[in-house]
């Protein structure tokens, strides 16, 4: 399932990200790519130990912590600290898959990449191209979102970024290990949760709401690992 989360960052946070990334020294993105991806990757990114990457990564994680839709959709167990990239001057990332396991630099931890996330930091009309193309999922396969919005997609997807032919596309990207490993089960839980929320706001006194909430939690108990 592809999930579009709107306004994950507010205006102040976006401004902070953009100004911190304005004059930063980008590194060649190929440094962090695997053998196959390296051949099709042509972008720049901040090294994961760069102080700006750390500071903005923490800002993004704080924004995710307060975002209930993110929690409902991803059911996060742990995540790779957000990284930042920049596409311009024809930069692109051809079709590739992300590695299943990502080490977290400087720690003994590894994250299974159940979900991938791209958080758009540049306004879509400020650059040409740069669509994130995600294959094999229902929903729009080409994604180019408003600044501050984020797309969550299954880590199993073949995907890529179309060439940015003018302007500059800044984004944060990261991976999430979910408490629920299966995309199908996560989708069921997310849809059930959304339906419960809708009923709760339309008819909060409906007694069956408690039973439905019970079904949600029983499924979660059945499927989740903590
Ligand atoms: Ni990728």
């Amino acid at each position: 399932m592809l999930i579009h989360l709107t306004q994950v960052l507010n205006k102040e946070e976006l401004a902070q990200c953009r100004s911190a990334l304005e004059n930063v020294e980008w590194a060649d993105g190929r440094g962090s790519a695997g053998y196959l991806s390296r051949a099709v990757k042509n972008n720049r990114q901040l090294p994961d130990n760069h102080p700006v990457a750390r500071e903005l990564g923490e800002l993004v994680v704080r924004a995710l912590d307060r975002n209930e839709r993110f929690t409902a959709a991803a059911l996060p167990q742990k995540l790779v600290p957000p990284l930042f990239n920049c596409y311009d001057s024809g930069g692109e990332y051809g079709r590739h898959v992300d590695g299943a396991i990502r080490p977290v630099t400087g720690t003994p931890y590894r994250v299974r990449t159940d979900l991938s996330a791209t958080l758009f930091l540049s306004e879509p009309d400020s650059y040409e191209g740069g669509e994130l193309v995600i294959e094999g999922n229902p929903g729009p396969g080409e994604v180019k979102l408003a600044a501050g919005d984020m797309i969550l997609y299954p880590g199993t997807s073949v995907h890529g970024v179309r060439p940015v032919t003018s302007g500059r596309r800044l984004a944060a990207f990261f991976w999430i290990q979910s408490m629920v490993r299966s995309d199908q089960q996560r989708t069921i839980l997310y849809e059930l949760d959304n339906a419960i929320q809708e009923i709760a706001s339309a008819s909060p006194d409906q007694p069956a709401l408690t039973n439905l909430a019970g079904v949600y939690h029983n499924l979660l108990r059945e499927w989740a690992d903590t």
Side-chain angles (χ1 to χ4, degrees):
M1 181 179 43
L2 306 185
I3 297 175
H4 174 183
L5 301 173
T6 55
Q7 297 176 359
V8 170
L9 297 187
N10 61 33
K11 285 205 161 54
E12 293 73 36
E13 290 165 330
L14 260 181
Q16 193 182 334
C17 288
R18 288 206 204 119
S19 95
L21 294 172
E22 188 63 38
N23 294 310
V24 90
E25 283 210 15
W26 298 95
D28 189 332
R30 277 174 276 248
S32 70
Y35 167 70
L36 279 175
S37 300
R38 201 168 300 150
V40 295
K41 189 173 187 184
N42 172 24
N43 72 352
R44 293 178 293 154
Q45 64 190 49
L46 277 188
D48 53 12
N49 57 1
H50 193 291
V52 171
R54 295 241 167 140
E55 178 201 332
L56 298 185
E58 283 168 20
L59 176 152
V60 171
V61 169
R62 282 196 300 274
L64 295 172
D65 279 346
R66 66 170 190 249
N67 191 309
E68 288 173 7
R69 284 198 69 219
F70 170 75
T71 304
L75 297 167
Q77 186 179 64
K78 49 187 175 176
L79 50 87
V80 177
L83 296 168
F84 296 84
N85 61 16
C86 171
Y87 292 80
D88 56 8
S89 315
E92 64 180 311
Y93 199 164
R95 293 178 77 235
H96 68 282
V97 289
D98 296 338
I101 308 289
R102 298 283 306 195
V104 179
T105 306
T107 78
Y109 302 113
R110 296 187 186 88
V111 172
R112 191 184 61 232
T113 57
D114 296 326
L115 290 144
S116 300
T118 296
L119 171 56
F120 289 75
L121 299 175
S122 302
E123 292 300 347
D125 58 4
S126 68
Y127 59 97
E128 292 288 333
E131 296 84 359
L132 172 63
V133 181
I134 305 166
E135 299 180 15
N137 294 281
E142 294 205 7
V143 181
K144 183 168 176 174
L145 302 181
D149 285 12
M150 187 170 98
I151 188 86
L152 271 176
Y153 59 101
T156 49
S157 314
V158 176
H159 60 278
V161 176
R162 287 203 195 288
V164 172
T165 51
S166 75
R168 189 159 85 136
R169 176 196 190 271
L170 298 175
F173 63 103
F174 58 98
W175 295 271
I176 302 129
Q177 179 169 330
S178 176
M179 291 187 286
V180 175
R181 183 180 194 146
S182 147
D183 181 58
Q184 225 168 355
Q185 291 174 341
R186 267 196 321 273
T187 303
I188 291 168
L189 288 167
Y190 185 60
E191 288 176 351
L192 180 56
D193 185 58
N194 284 341
I196 292 170
Q197 302 295 335
E198 256 182 62
I199 298 169
S201 64
S203 4
D205 301 327
Q206 171 59 250
L209 253 183
T210 305
N211 303 70
L212 263 184
V215 171
Y216 175 87
H217 284 283
N218 289 338
L219 283 174
L220 187 58
R221 203 174 278 115
E222 202 64 34
W223 292 338
D225 286 305
T226 59

